[in-house]
Amino acid sequence: MTNWSAEEFLTGEFVNNLGSHSKLVAKDGKLSGEYFTKPSRGKLVQPGFPIYGIYTPVKDGALVSMIITYKMEGEKPNGLEKFSQTTKNGKVYASRNDFDLKWLLNCNESEENEWAAFNVGVDHFQKLK
């Protein structure tokens, strides 16, 4: 663990339990990269979307937070754009090659349907390279 580096570990390619892929670059406490996923409710306007995030090295790993905004083709029946934002947060442990990120998905919904705008869950990520 003494040779472990949050920057080195977080820079690379990852896959989660749902088959989504991410390519991350970690530098000076910031995360950037691209997230590739296939939603079940429509078709995305492009294959990958930018990742914006931060990480904080700690004695046994790193705390991680990131945001991804997706756009799907078309409009909702009420005319709203099909945008979603996801925040993913968790801890990477220096002793493991996998980690969990808890997520909150916020969808563009009308005020009358605001209750349906949020979903929560956990993704399990594995480092590929």
Side-chain angles (χ1 to χ4, degrees):
M1 187 164 85
T2 56
N3 293 329
W4 190 87
S5 158
E7 191 170 291
E8 287 180 24
F9 179 78
L10 290 169
T11 297
E13 295 183 29
F14 300 85
V15 65
N16 74 12
N17 53 298
L18 299 174
S20 296
H21 293 265
S22 60
K23 294 178 182 177
L24 293 177
V25 176
K27 181 90 172 134
D28 299 327
K30 296 178 184 172
L31 283 172
S32 60
E34 204 168 9
Y35 198 80
F36 303 88
T37 189
K38 184 176 180 188
S40 60
R41 298 180 190 158
K43 185 177 178 188
L44 295 170
V45 297
Q46 61 195 51
F49 290 86
I51 295 171
Y52 303 97
I54 59 171
Y55 66 95
T56 303
V58 293
K59 287 182 180 180
D60 61 345
L63 303 178
V64 176
S65 296
M66 62 178 88
I67 298 172
I68 305 141
T69 300
Y70 312 94
K71 180 157 183 10
M72 295 201 296
E73 291 181 349
E75 292 182 341
K76 295 183 175 207
N78 61 8
L80 290 177
E81 308 93 329
K82 292 183 178 180
F83 275 108
S84 298
Q85 292 178 323
T86 302
T87 60
K88 295 180 182 284
N89 301 278
K91 183 173 180 181
V92 174
Y93 293 93
S95 61
R96 299 177 48 181
N97 199 41
D98 60 344
F99 55 95
D100 290 333
L101 293 180
K102 289 73 176 171
W103 54 264
L104 173 65
L105 177 71
N106 177 24
C107 299
N108 183 25
E109 288 291 342
S110 64
E111 187 174 358
E112 304 82 39
N113 202 25
E114 188 175 23
W115 65 270
F118 294 96
N119 291 291
V120 297
V122 177
D123 285 341
H124 183 77
F125 287 85
Q126 179 76 35
K127 184 162 185 176
L128 298 175
K129 54 182 173 175

